[in-house]
Amino acid sequence: VDITVLTLFPELIQDALGKSITGRAISDGILNLHTKNIRDNAMKAYAKVDDTLYGGGTGMLMMCDPVYNSYLEVVEKFSKSDKPYTVYMSPKGRVFDQKKAIELSKKDNLILLCGHYEGIDERVIEEIVDEEISIGDYVLTGGELPACVVIDAVSRMLPGVLPNKDAYEMESHMGDCLEHPQYTKPAVWRNRKVPEILLSGHHKKIKDYNRLRSLYETMVRRPDLFEKINISNEENEKLIKYVKDTRKLQE
Ligand SMILES: C[S@@+](CC[C@H](N)C(=O)[O-])C[C@H]1O[C@@H](n2cnc3c(N)ncnc32)[C@H](O)[C@@H]1O
């Protein structure tokens, strides 16, 4: 996938994504990440990218032209048929989730537009943006961190970025449940033991046990997700027994 971030702070994007797994995806050519500095298209006379609000109000708003001209410089490199899908990072957008990460990872070309200050003049958003995405119900100072969040989540879904499908298919939000708790060596740490069944080497039993713990985690931590799970009678009975056993142990 080819992603261009339109931003006033390109270094924030490069610094955050140039390392570790995303950094490797970039150097391996799986993720083509570009940044376009909107300030390069500042209004010539005073290097301006923002101005005061019509109708009053505090703060400054990013102006249409610097954003639009930056956008045009990016899209002119693409033919009409592979015009990039343009996303504005915005607290007013639909809240980002794993499903959206998978959907975006299937696009060939993406533009992520980052606002700053009070945001961006509505008219240029109407002109160029296909979708607005929020990373949660809170307000940040700029769209750069949200863009990095989206790019990180998208890049993990690109073939070749993670070692194999198992590396992410069992993870939280990939299926219907949150991921079960996980353990590594040593088998006993500060008197806390790794559940014995995980040391048994019995793959079927381990799989069933992990599924049960996944269901339990989801029930306790995210009842909203738990409600939507299509749980079989057999699983339900096992879960009730697991809850009772766990409570007894805690008493
Ligand atoms: C201070 S915010 C502007 C908030 C805007 N005035 C409002 O009330 O909706 C500046 C920029 O940060 C980005 N931003 C802030 N919070 C965000 C969030 N939760 N998700 C995505 N982008 C966000 C957007 O790009 C936005 O243009």
Side-chain angles (χ1 to χ4, degrees):
V1 66
D2 188 292
I3 304 180
T4 305
V5 185
L6 301 182
T7 168
L8 289 171
F9 300 95
E11 64 284 2
L12 283 180
I13 306 290
Q14 305 288 1
D15 287 352
L17 297 170
K19 305 264 155 47
S20 182
I21 297 174
T22 46
R24 227 174 305 129
I26 295 167
S27 56
D28 290 349
I30 302 171
L31 169 65
N32 294 317
L33 181 66
H34 317 277
T35 49
K36 176 99 202 146
N37 193 340
I38 295 170
R39 205 171 290 281
D40 292 345
N41 281 299
M43 307 307 283
K44 298 283 178 281
Y46 10 50
K48 232 173 138 72
V49 288
D50 56 350
D51 213 325
T52 52
L53 294 146
Y54 277 123
T58 47
M60 303 290 273
L61 199 66
M62 287 169 66
M63 302 159 85
C64 288
D65 268 340
V67 172
Y68 187 57
N69 292 332
S70 303
Y71 168 81
L72 289 181
E73 283 175 15
V74 174
V75 285
E76 74 183 6
K77 288 185 237 144
F78 296 92
S79 68
K80 258 203 178 134
S81 60
D82 60 11
K83 194 174 146 248
Y85 188 74
T86 302
V87 173
Y88 172 42
M89 305 314 308
S90 157
K92 294 196 280 186
R94 206 192 99 172
V95 176
F96 188 60
D97 59 13
Q98 192 64 35
K99 208 166 138 228
K100 184 54 75 179
I102 294 169
E103 192 187 310
L104 294 179
S105 73
K106 292 183 179 145
K107 305 253 183 226
D108 291 331
N109 304 304
L110 286 171
I111 290 178
L112 302 187
L113 170 61
C114 303
H116 231 90
Y117 317 118
E118 268 308 297
I120 301 179
D121 189 311
E122 193 67 23
R123 292 166 295 178
V124 69
I125 297 170
E126 286 167 7
E127 183 75 21
I128 67 173
V129 168
D130 295 305
E131 181 173 3
E132 297 191 24
I133 292 180
S134 163
I135 62 158
D137 292 340
Y138 41 82
V139 179
L140 300 164
T141 54
E144 287 72 17
L145 291 176
C148 288
V149 167
V150 168
I151 296 167
D152 186 304
V154 165
S155 70
R156 298 180 78 254
M157 295 297 103
L158 299 174
V161 171
L162 296 182
N164 55 50
K165 276 193 164 190
D166 289 353
Y168 59 82
E169 275 194 340
M170 297 301 292
E171 275 178 322
S172 305
H173 304 295
M174 283 303 291
D176 50 4
C177 286
L178 300 181
E179 190 176 61
H180 52 80
Q182 292 175 305
Y183 307 89
T184 184
K185 293 181 180 82
V188 182
W189 179 78
R190 293 177 70 88
N191 273 337
R192 292 171 188 271
K193 286 185 190 152
V194 170
E196 224 151 87
I197 197 154
L198 299 181
L199 311 175
S200 71
H202 196 299
H203 295 302
K204 167 85 172 80
K205 279 190 183 159
I206 292 174
K207 201 170 163 221
D208 288 351
Y209 176 77
N210 280 338
R211 167 74 180 164
L212 203 57
R213 293 204 73 187
S214 261
L215 288 168
Y216 182 72
E217 288 288 298
T218 316
M219 183 181 76
V220 173
R221 292 169 190 247
R222 291 290 302 271
D224 58 317
L225 295 181
F226 186 74
E227 258 177 37
K228 294 182 200 145
I229 303 175
N230 225 338
I231 186 167
S232 68
N233 285 341
E234 193 193 337
E235 271 183 341
N236 199 28
E237 273 166 30
K238 282 187 188 163
L239 185 61
I240 291 168
K241 184 173 177 317
Y242 181 76
V243 172
K244 279 187 188 154
D245 292 349
T246 312
R247 286 213 182 121
K248 255 186 228 152
L249 275 178
Q250 284 167 352
E251 274 164 19

